[in-house]
Amino acid sequence: MTTRQDRHRAAAAVRWRGRSLRARLLLFTSATLIVVCAAMALTTVFVQRAYLLGNLDQRVTDAAERSQGGLQRRTGDATDLGFLTERGQPAGTVAARLADGKVIAAEMVTEDSHLQVLTAAQRTALGGIPTDGSRHTRTIPGLGTYRVTAISGDGVPVLAGLPMDDVQDMINGLVLGEAVIAAVGLAAAGCVTAVVIRRQLRPLDRVAATAVEVSHAPLDRGEVTALTRVSARDTDPATEAGQVGAALNRMIDHVETSLTERQRTEERMRRFLADASHELRTPLASIAGYAELMNHGTEKIEPQLAWRRVSAQSERMTGLVEDLLLLARLDEGRPLEAAELNLATLVAEAVWDAQAAGGDHAWQLALRLDAPAQVVGDQARLHQVVANLLANARVHTPSGTRITVVVEATDTHCVIRVRDNGPGIPPGLLPSVFERFTRADASRSRLPGKESGSGLGLAIAAAITEAHGGRIDVESEPGQTEFAIELPLAAGRRTEPWAASTPTSLMGHKP
Ligand SMILES: Nc1ncnc2c1ncn2[C@@H]1O[C@H](COP(=O)(O)OP(=O)(O)OP(=O)(O)O)[C@@H](O)[C@H]1O
Ligand SMILES: [Mg+2]
């Protein structure tokens, strides 16, 4: 029993929840209007009725007093009610004489001011009324509902009554009038409310339509093309629907940028994998080729040469795999070593090494230090950054190119600049020069006879610099290429005055 009731209640709740906002708003507004109208109508009726009844009661008491006055002047017959027509009693007035609480004579004033004797049944209806002046309502058969009172005054008890029909008719008229006005008013209000609600909620419909459209867009595959947005007229933040529209637009923006970003990351990943496989395939193919040649005997290839080539290719592969591993670790955000080190020393050592390797270039080192070039970082990795830049300046420029390395230290930062007056980075390559596997056509950028690089050197330099909280920039045009690495100085070193300000210290350069 209870469970069935519960089920009914739950079903009703679901039905109610399932109703549209429009229906609910209309229902609530109508219900409120009905309650307010009913309350106002009832109040009016009750107040009016109380007023009319009070008025009638006063007239009934007056009639009783007049009856008694008339009676006192007449003597004789105890059942004589002739005074009724003498004292200006209105038509419909009922008067009766009482004795021992019983009605002994009762008459009514007719429309034409005559007296009509009441029947026994009508008299009985008037019985039992105490003579204390209190007012009572009685239904007299054939005459209708009466308001009656009985007084005894100077010992002559008399009863008077007036019909309540007028009061009742007025109240009925009032109720009818109010009902008609309320019905018409409610119907009009309902229609207006329905129209207004429909109008006001139309923007929400449009917002919902946009949301549905976006939800049907194929977001899980392929390129994310421009998604639909809520139109500007439905994004006014001053309205509730506008706020929803604006929020939806922000969400769609967010979804679109996230998806585009994801798409780009996937694209980069795919390219990276393809490039890495390609890079590894070349030395592998070459090792396989030499192995095949050696398999056919020593007359095809000199074993010593084959051995050297195989060693070189495997070295290249090892280097490549190490580079890839390093990039993967940096991508993962693995912590680097953090020791305080002097960049000027580090750069100077790197330049010496480079000078030893690239004797055909003119090397120059300048230190412009307003503060000690102390930074916190991973010595080996930072050395790798500088070595990569120096190697590029050496490998991608012809002999005789002047390479200038400048170390600057200001209050907060240390900047390493590697400059060369070589042919420069091809403009098409420049925007993506720090991306992985980016390199110029080997025939353009390399000197003949040199191994081609893998295009990871600058990507690694950029990743290491970023991991140290620094940045790397490049500017290049034919005859002037400059890489600049900016690193934050070690805390505590930044404000110290630098006593031995060495404006420029030059390293000897070869012709
Ligand atoms: N100083 C420079 N002058 C001219 N071109 C340069 C210079 N530095 C870099 N480049 C160009 O930028 C490309 C990318 O350099 P990056 O160091 O990333 O790769 P790579 O030197 O080709 O190979 P890897 O450094 O991995 O051996 C180079 O291939 C070269 O074309
Ligand atoms: Mg390089």
Side-chain angles (χ1 to χ4, degrees):
M1 181 70 191
T2 347
T3 49
R4 188 189 289 175
Q5 256 179 5
D6 286 350
R7 237 179 290 135
H8 271 292
R9 225 172 290 147
V14 166
R15 268 202 304 278
W16 173 242
R17 254 182 273 130
R19 264 179 225 281
S20 72
L21 176 61
R22 207 163 291 164
R24 271 191 278 176
L25 274 177
L26 192 58
L27 225 65
F28 269 124
T29 321
S30 308
T32 313
L33 275 176
I34 289 171
V35 169
V36 169
C37 279
M40 277 170 60
L42 285 178
T43 312
T44 319
V45 167
F46 279 124
V47 168
Q48 188 67 14
R49 190 168 185 275
Y51 172 76
L52 290 174
L53 265 185
N55 205 338
L56 181 66
D57 285 353
Q58 190 55 51
R59 282 189 286 128
V60 169
T61 304
D62 288 351
E65 279 164 3
R66 271 200 306 275
S67 302
Q68 200 162 46
L71 194 62
Q72 271 161 359
R73 282 184 294 102
R74 295 167 83 100
T75 48
D77 189 359
T79 62
D80 177 15
L81 289 164
F83 62 88
L84 266 177
T85 47
E86 294 167 5
R87 306 277 298 180
Q89 302 280 26
T93 308
V94 164
R97 295 186 61 170
L98 307 172
D100 304 331
K102 282 202 184 118
V103 180
I104 50 174
E107 288 179 359
M108 185 192 75
V109 183
T110 60
E111 291 290 339
D112 48 3
S113 298
H114 286 97
L115 288 179
Q116 180 190 324
V117 179
L118 297 192
T119 62
Q122 289 171 331
R123 279 209 307 274
T124 316
L126 294 173
I129 293 177
T131 53
D132 55 3
S134 59
R135 268 77 57 131
H136 299 265
T137 304
R138 286 291 152 93
T139 304
I140 306 174
L143 297 182
T145 313
Y146 266 70
R147 196 72 173 154
V148 292
T149 187
I151 52 173
S152 86
D154 306 335
V156 190
V158 67
L159 178 147
L162 283 169
M164 282 179 74
D165 297 357
D166 288 355
V167 173
Q168 206 53 52
D169 286 351
M170 273 182 95
I171 296 297
N172 287 347
L174 188 66
V175 168
L176 186 69
E178 279 180 342
V180 169
I181 291 171
V184 172
L186 281 175
C191 291
V192 170
T193 314
V195 170
V196 169
I197 291 175
R198 186 175 290 265
R199 278 245 173 118
Q200 295 301 311
L201 291 186
R202 213 172 280 159
L204 266 189
D205 286 344
R206 292 194 291 262
V207 170
T210 308
V212 169
E213 200 176 317
V214 169
S215 72
H216 286 153
L219 300 179
D220 53 337
R221 66 200 112 90
E223 190 99 348
V224 182
T225 45
L227 296 172
T228 321
R229 297 291 195 288
V230 177
S231 63
R233 65 176 170 158
D234 294 332
T235 56
D236 179 6
T239 66
E240 286 79 358
Q243 285 167 13
V244 176
L248 185 67
N249 271 359
R250 277 199 299 280
M251 200 187 81
I252 298 172
D253 284 347
H254 184 67
V255 166
E256 208 173 71
T257 36
S258 309
L259 287 177
T260 314
E261 183 54 37
R262 202 195 61 192
Q263 178 87 16
R264 276 224 320 268
T265 313
E266 272 176 14
E267 195 65 35
R268 261 206 318 262
M269 199 64 195
R270 255 200 299 275
R271 220 175 44 225
F272 180 70
L273 277 177
D275 289 344
S277 320
H278 182 79
E279 285 298 322
L280 286 171
R281 210 177 54 190
T282 315
L284 272 177
S286 135
I287 289 172
Y290 285 119
E292 182 69 21
L293 279 177
M294 290 202 302
N295 206 21
H296 287 107
T298 50
E299 69 273 12
K300 291 253 181 190
I301 188 166
E302 197 188 318
Q304 205 61 33
L305 173 68
W307 175 247
R308 266 208 313 279
R309 295 308 304 145
V310 167
S311 294
Q313 293 299 339
S314 76
E315 214 170 276
R316 181 169 153 74
M317 249 167 40
T318 310
L320 187 66
V321 170
E322 269 170 9
D323 283 355
L324 288 175
L325 253 176
L326 175 62
L327 277 172
R329 289 210 181 105
L330 289 169
D331 281 353
E332 246 176 65
R334 288 228 200 141
L336 295 163
E337 258 178 49
E340 198 167 314
L341 55 100
N342 191 291
L343 268 191
T345 317
L346 185 141
V347 172
E349 282 170 8
V351 173
W352 284 324
D353 294 347
Q355 199 177 14
D360 308 339
H361 292 71
W363 296 90
Q364 196 174 17
L365 171 68
L367 302 177
R368 292 184 195 136
L369 307 175
D370 294 339
Q374 293 290 114
V375 299
V376 173
D378 188 320
Q379 172 131 18
R381 296 290 159 242
L382 287 175
H383 186 275
Q384 193 174 357
V385 172
V386 180
N388 282 357
L389 294 187
L390 297 181
N392 279 353
R394 181 168 53 80
V395 174
H396 303 298
T397 58
S399 340
T401 303
R402 175 186 299 277
I403 301 164
T404 311
V405 183
V406 183
V407 181
E408 294 166 4
T410 60
D411 286 349
T412 53
H413 282 86
C414 183
V415 183
I416 304 166
R417 298 182 196 280
V418 179
R419 223 176 271 151
D420 70 66
N421 62 351
I425 301 170
L429 197 71
L430 199 55
S432 59
V433 81
F434 293 112
E435 281 175 22
R436 291 157 198 198
F437 296 111
T438 300
R439 64 188 167 191
D441 182 2
S443 58
R444 280 192 59 190
S445 67
R446 299 257 166 193
L447 297 174
K450 289 200 177 174
E451 279 286 357
S452 125
S454 57
L456 287 177
L458 287 177
I460 288 174
I464 294 175
T465 311
E466 268 160 36
H468 279 83
R471 44 182 283 197
I472 185 166
D473 288 312
V474 62
E475 278 173 19
S476 179
E477 56 186 57
Q480 172 82 334
T481 300
E482 179 179 304
F483 284 90
I485 294 168
E486 189 181 281
L487 289 167
L489 278 191
R493 297 278 166 180
R494 297 181 187 176
T495 49
E496 256 178 43
W498 177 232
S501 173
T502 322
T504 312
S505 124
L506 285 178
M507 243 181 71
H509 50 87
K510 292 195 172 178

